[in-house]
């Protein structure tokens, strides 16, 4: 994949976002970290302590339980929504060349929160899980990746 010099690569998962700048050549990218955000991971007990809800049938003695809410996933989705807003700001610059690499679930949440014109201006969306400490493996993947 052609990653032009000074293009930005944003790597996102549920708990981290890192923005890199390509300081290398187009076919041999070298990524330099320019911005990083981390979602402080709280224990589930710190996020909430409620028990799952119960349901009762009025015509029979049977009872059932509702599926408990995944509080960790809600927190990750909230963080990824904030990242989507940051991507809106970055891509708002008309000259910005941005490649988005995100974990598949995070990419789905980001897509829901990006405006259509912002999504259209992204150079590529790649559904892979790379953290902010993975600049070198990410650069190798981009060099081999085909759109």
């Amino acid at each position: 994949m052609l990653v032009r010099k000074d293009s930005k690569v944003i790597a996102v998962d549920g708990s981290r976002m890192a923005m890199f700048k390509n300081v290398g050549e187009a076919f041999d990218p070298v990524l330099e970290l320019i911005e990083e955000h981390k979602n402080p991971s709280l224990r589930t007990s710190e996020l909430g302590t409620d028990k799952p809800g119960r349901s009762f049938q009025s015509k029979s003695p049977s009872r059932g339980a509702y599926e408990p809410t995944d509080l960790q996933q809600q927190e990750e989705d909230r963080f990824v929504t904030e990242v989507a807003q940051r991507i809106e700001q970055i891509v708002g610059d008309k000259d910005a060349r941005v490649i988005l690499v995100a974990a598949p679930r995070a990419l789905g949440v980001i897509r829901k929160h990006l405006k259509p014109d912002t999504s259209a201006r992204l150079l590529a969306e790649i559904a892979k899980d790379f953290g902010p400490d993975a600049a070198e493996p990410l650069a190798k993947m981009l060099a081999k990746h085909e759109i």
Side-chain angles (χ1 to χ4, degrees), residues 11-13 16-18 20 36 101 128-135 137-138:
V12 182
D13 67 8
R16 303 174 303 217
M17 184 276 273
F20 300 96
E36 182 178 23
V101 180
K128 294 220 183 233
D129 195 358
F130 281 96
D133 54 343
L138 180 59

Side-chain angles (χ1 to χ4, degrees), residues 1-3 22-31 139-140 142-143:
M1 172 180 205
L2 180 68
V3 182
N22 182 20
V23 294
E25 298 301 319
F27 289 106
D28 186 25
V30 177
L31 301 178
K140 287 179 183 177
L142 288 172

Side-chain angles (χ1 to χ4, degrees), residues 53-111:
R54 306 281 299 165
S55 66
F56 302 95
Q57 297 291 330
S58 62
K59 295 182 180 180
S60 71
S62 63
R63 297 178 182 210
Y66 293 107
E67 187 70 27
T69 303
D70 187 350
L71 299 173
Q72 290 289 342
Q73 190 60 55
Q74 281 184 342
E75 184 63 21
E76 287 182 7
D77 290 349
R78 182 204 55 78
F79 175 74
V80 173
T81 301
E82 290 176 3
V83 168
Q85 293 170 355
R86 179 67 182 119
I87 292 170
E88 287 279 349
Q89 293 172 348
I90 294 165
V91 178
D93 178 19
K94 301 292 183 197
D95 298 329
R97 293 186 305 261
V98 178
I99 298 170
L100 177 61
V101 180
R105 181 169 174 92
L107 185 57
V109 174
I110 290 171
R111 283 177 178 157

